[in-house]
């Protein structure tokens, strides 16, 4: 953690030593850090996607059930791999926006909303995998599995929208539920 702070200060101090105004040094430092962090996030995204997708693909090849095949088919590993760069970003934001603290709460809010969407996408891919798997079970072929999955997805989206409203307004979810009656 101190390494990132020292990197942040190293470039800033270099700009100040060149007698660049403090305001412009902060902006240039922010742009430098942004480039550096976007590079790290891109590499993390690529590596986590490759590693988790490879893990799920090898798992799908080595097991007898088709469920893990459906997980790969419905891109669950891709969505799960997005969590690693998001957690890194969640950790790095206070250092990244060190000179622009007024934006930190808004950046965290946007990131939390993205986490809600990412969670819905992960659950949706899991539910689609379950639906595909259950369609192959002979005793469940005549059951309305797709309808049950759609109802669950509607419920999940409702909960996600409540979470997003809670994040944006800063109020508890129970406040929205009690307001609805």
């Amino acid at each position: 953690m101190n390494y990132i702070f020292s990197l942040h200060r190293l470039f800033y101090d270099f700009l100040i030593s060149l007698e660049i105004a403090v305001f412009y040094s902060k902006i240039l430092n922010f742009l430098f850090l942004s480039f550096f962090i976007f590079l790290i996030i891109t590499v993390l995204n690529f590596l986590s996607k490759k590693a988790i997708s490879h893990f799920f693909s090898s798992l799908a090849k080595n097991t007898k059930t088709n469920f893990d095949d459906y997980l790969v088919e419905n891109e669950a590993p891709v969505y799960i791999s997005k969590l690693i760069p998001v957690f890194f970003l969640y950790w790095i934001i206070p250092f990244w926006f060190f000179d622009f603290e007024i934006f930190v709460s808004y950046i965290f809010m946007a990131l939390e909303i993205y986490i809600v969407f990412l969670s819905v996408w992960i659950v949706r891919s899991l539910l689609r995998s379950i639906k595909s798997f259950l369609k192959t079970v002979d005793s469940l072929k005549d059951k309305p599995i797709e309808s049950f999955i759609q109802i669950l997805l509607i419920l999940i989206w409702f909960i996600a929208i409540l979470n997003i409203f809670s994040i944006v307004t800063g109020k508890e979810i129970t406040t929205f539920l009690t307001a609805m009656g």
Side-chain angles (χ1 to χ4, degrees), residues 47-58:
L47 292 177
S48 64
K49 183 178 177 181
K50 284 287 187 190
I52 292 175
S53 294
H54 177 72
F55 171 75
F56 272 88
S57 295
S58 64

Side-chain angles (χ1 to χ4, degrees), residues 8-81:
H8 167 11
R9 281 301 189 205
L10 180 70
F11 190 69
Y12 176 77
D13 292 340
F14 172 71
L15 293 172
I16 293 294
S17 71
L18 294 176
E19 297 181 2
I20 297 175
V22 172
F23 175 75
Y24 295 117
S25 295
K26 287 180 179 181
I27 298 290
L28 290 172
N29 187 46
F30 175 74
L31 293 174
F32 170 74
L33 285 174
S34 297
F35 173 75
F36 186 68
I37 289 171
F38 281 131
L39 186 67
I40 291 173
I41 288 171
T42 303
V43 169
L44 275 175
N45 188 37
F46 177 78
L47 292 177
S48 64
K49 183 178 177 181
K50 284 287 187 190
I52 292 175
S53 294
H54 177 72
F55 171 75
F56 272 88
S57 295
S58 64
L59 183 70
K61 289 177 186 174
N62 295 330
T63 58
K64 295 179 182 178
T65 64
N66 291 337
F67 181 70
D68 39 21
D69 297 331
Y70 294 123
L71 284 174
V72 172
E73 181 181 308
N74 289 305
E75 298 184 341
V78 173
Y79 295 127
I80 292 170
S81 70

Side-chain angles (χ1 to χ4, degrees), residues 80-148:
I80 292 170
S81 70
K82 301 268 185 231
L83 289 171
I84 294 171
V86 167
F87 290 141
F88 172 75
L89 198 57
Y90 204 81
W91 173 75
I92 200 75
I93 283 175
F95 301 105
W96 185 10
F97 288 88
F98 181 76
D99 291 325
F100 305 98
E101 293 177 11
I102 194 167
F103 297 118
V104 171
S105 62
Y106 298 112
I107 301 295
F108 274 129
M109 187 185 308
L111 192 58
E112 288 172 1
I113 290 170
Y114 178 72
I115 289 172
V116 169
F117 280 115
L118 188 58
S119 301
V120 168
W121 295 331
I122 290 170
V123 171
R124 185 184 66 178
S125 66
L126 290 173
L127 287 175
R128 286 182 176 174
S129 300
I130 291 170
K131 177 182 72 173
S132 299
F133 178 72
L134 291 178
K135 283 183 176 181
T136 63
V137 177
D138 291 332
S139 62
L140 298 174
K141 285 190 178 185
D142 60 338
K143 305 293 186 254
I145 295 168
E146 197 161 322
S147 298
F148 292 136

Side-chain angles (χ1 to χ4, degrees), residues 116-117 120 156-167 176:
V116 169
F117 280 115
V120 168
I156 288 167
W157 275 110
F158 177 73
I159 292 170
I161 290 169
L162 282 177
N163 275 319
I164 291 170
F165 280 132
S166 175
I167 291 167
F176 295 114

